[in-house]
Amino acid sequence: MATAMGGNLSKYAPIFLVLALSGILFLLRNMHILERWNCQSMSSLYQLQSSISSAFKPSGAFLLLDHNHTYCPFLGQEPSSEEAREERYLLESISWPEPPTPGTTPLRFSSDPARSFFVIQPPASGRGASGQSVWRVGGKLEVLVHMQNFLGQPKRHGGDFLLARIYSPELGAGASGRVTDHQDGLYTVELPLLWLGPAQVEVMLVHSSEVVAVLRRLREEQPDRVYFKSLFRSGFLSETTVCNLCLRTRPRQPALCNYTDPHSGEPWYCYKPRLLDCDTRINHAKGGYKKHLLTTTESMLFLSSTIKAPIQALGMDNITISPAVRELSLIRRDRSKLMPSGYYYQGSWRPLSGIPIQQFNDSSAITQCLRGKLFYMFGDSTVRQWFEYLNAFVPELKEFNLYSPKNVGPFMAVDSVHNILLQYRCHGPPIRFSTVSASELRYVANELDGLPGGPDTVVALSVWSHFSTFPVEVYMRRLRHIRRAVARLLDRAPGTLVVIRSANPQKLDAEVCLYNSDWFSVQLDAVLRAMFRGLRGVVLLDAWDMTLAHPTQPHLLHPPPDIVKNMIDLILSHVCPAKKERMRT
């Protein structure tokens, strides 16, 4: 009998061994969950068993990764034929010169701002009675920029990213310039002459053409270099996974939670937690920045001395602007070709078209202008600045405590006496804020569709900075949804004022360039302007010009209060247009 029983046991030994190994592997796989627990009660164990069993049930909210699919720009709905044509047109309009040879150019052959120079060209109006050059108000100043490499040799191709302005700190005056790339190492800068008196010329190399080539590669090949995360929680179980518009395949993690918005079609994905369902997501947060994105040769191109570096003049770099001659007036002669949207004079922004701007220098003037108004602000932190400015400057406005995280929102301020409401809400992902509750993730298009609108409604939008790491098609898709929502809002409520804020240049260093370069921003800015051009009832607030042209303030992602004040003055001038004639310079 014992012998027979021993034989039977040895017969089933392999089965017992397999079961034992499976149990050990299962425990090891889930050990990280058990280690989080402080409570060892039977009820906790019951919740663990229930959660583990539910983790293997199909939730219906995830999809399997297609390993053969381009993983970023085509996630979500495919564009229609009309949308595809618009995309092709926009991509062609922002095309940038490619390097003459493929691959990374060594530093010695790249653009060196210290060896490059610019020359002020003689004025078209000729010389005055004394034989000296005369530049007049209403004309333009032309500057020729010669780019050279680190060997001191002239560059023979284009593609450098330059910015230029003309300014006068003494007069509090400044205006941006228009740069033309001649594709041969030479660049022409046209600067408008808009005030009497002294004027200084500044030309800046933001990036060499070689750096631009690297940034273009990163944008297309590394769109997930800023990554996000979400916390999933159910009972005592919690997991954090990586989220993004663009997610790469991972071994042993083939599934994605699909959070595509059902109304706008905006896609968003997270890696599915191992033990939790997709519908247990609690929040959204910035995860971090991928490192080691550049080769050794590429990293050499990102010298601090070549990023937003001044180019010196060969000869004079300043002029004196004389009174206008009527027939030379640039504004009267060809306003449509004037590049800047406005200029500064005595520290105040002066638009070159549209309504006259007013100065709202005291809180009572702002209160009277906003009386009975609903002012909604949607977007990133650059439009949140407007909420913060008004909330701090106008004492009658009282912020309502919504218990929102600092710098995240949503925020609301009210003046019940004058019936004023201010509200700010961040746009939907991608948003690089600290932790945002999943329930507070709202897409701008959906929020616009929920507004009644009307003559007492002001809507301000700023959507650009958080899209700098993605292919441009992703940004086009987001703007297309917002544009349709704006059109619907203006159709049902024609008196609504919609203000769209453009991008602006900012402070850069070698690391910031990889994620938030001005080159990314200027491309997005061009797309935004093109997509909203001609839409009635929409005001473009040109933050790019207002930042670049300022005679004293540095470039910052969040412009300083002086620039924000001018932006608010411009908005309020549209809310409460002046009846008197526009003052002349």
Side-chain angles (χ1 to χ4, degrees), residues 84 95 136 240 302 329 388 437 455 463 485 495 510 584:
S95 62
R136 299 187 181 277
T240 299
F302 288 80
S329 174
E388 293 166 342
S437 171
V463 181
R584 300 182 183 276

Side-chain angles (χ1 to χ4, degrees), residues 355 448 453-455 457-461 482-483 485-501 531-541 570-571 574-575:
I355 68 171
L448 294 175
T457 300
V458 182
V459 177
L461 310 177
I482 293 174
R483 182 178 63 187
V486 168
R488 289 191 293 266
L489 173 61
L490 294 175
D491 281 343
R492 69 177 177 269
T496 308
L497 174 63
V498 179
V499 179
I500 297 181
R501 184 195 191 280
M531 292 188 73
F532 283 92
R533 185 177 295 123
L535 191 59
R536 287 182 177 274
V538 173
V539 174
L540 176 73
L541 190 144
L570 180 59
I571 295 170
H574 282 274
V575 176

Side-chain angles (χ1 to χ4, degrees), residues 19-29:
L19 291 174
L21 289 175
S22 300
I24 292 171
L25 290 173
F26 182 82
L27 287 174
L28 288 175
R29 182 183 179 189

Side-chain angles (χ1 to χ4, degrees), residues 323-373:
V325 175
R326 185 178 182 86
E327 59 269 21
L328 293 178
S329 174
L330 178 63
I331 298 175
R332 294 191 182 94
R333 187 185 68 222
D334 201 353
R335 178 179 291 179
S336 64
K337 293 184 180 180
L338 187 63
M339 187 268 193
S341 60
Y343 67 106
Y344 287 101
Y345 189 75
Q346 295 180 347
S348 296
W349 181 252
R350 300 190 174 192
L352 286 171
S353 61
I355 68 171
I357 194 168
Q358 305 168 67
Q359 300 298 310
F360 292 82
N361 295 323
D362 58 84
S363 62
S364 61
I366 296 178
T367 297
Q368 290 305 312
C369 179
L370 291 179
R371 177 189 288 271
K373 300 295 183 184

Side-chain angles (χ1 to χ4, degrees), residues 563-578:
I563 296 178
V564 174
K565 192 265 183 191
N566 276 285
M567 292 177 175
I568 295 296
D569 285 345
L570 180 59
I571 295 170
L572 295 179
S573 295
H574 282 274
V575 176
C576 308

Side-chain angles (χ1 to χ4, degrees), residues 393-446:
F393 188 70
V394 182
E396 289 83 358
L397 285 167
K398 306 298 181 184
E399 186 169 357
F400 190 84
N401 189 358
L402 298 175
Y403 300 99
S404 299
K406 184 180 180 182
N407 297 333
V408 175
F411 301 124
M412 183 169 67
V414 296
D415 176 356
S416 57
V417 174
H418 300 95
N419 196 30
I420 300 171
L421 170 70
L422 300 185
Q423 183 175 308
Y424 164 77
R425 181 179 290 278
C426 68
H427 65 68
I431 191 81
R432 297 180 208 162
F433 286 178
S434 56
T435 305
V436 183
S437 171
S439 63
E440 294 291 354
L441 290 174
R442 314 282 181 84
Y443 288 96
V444 172
N446 296 343

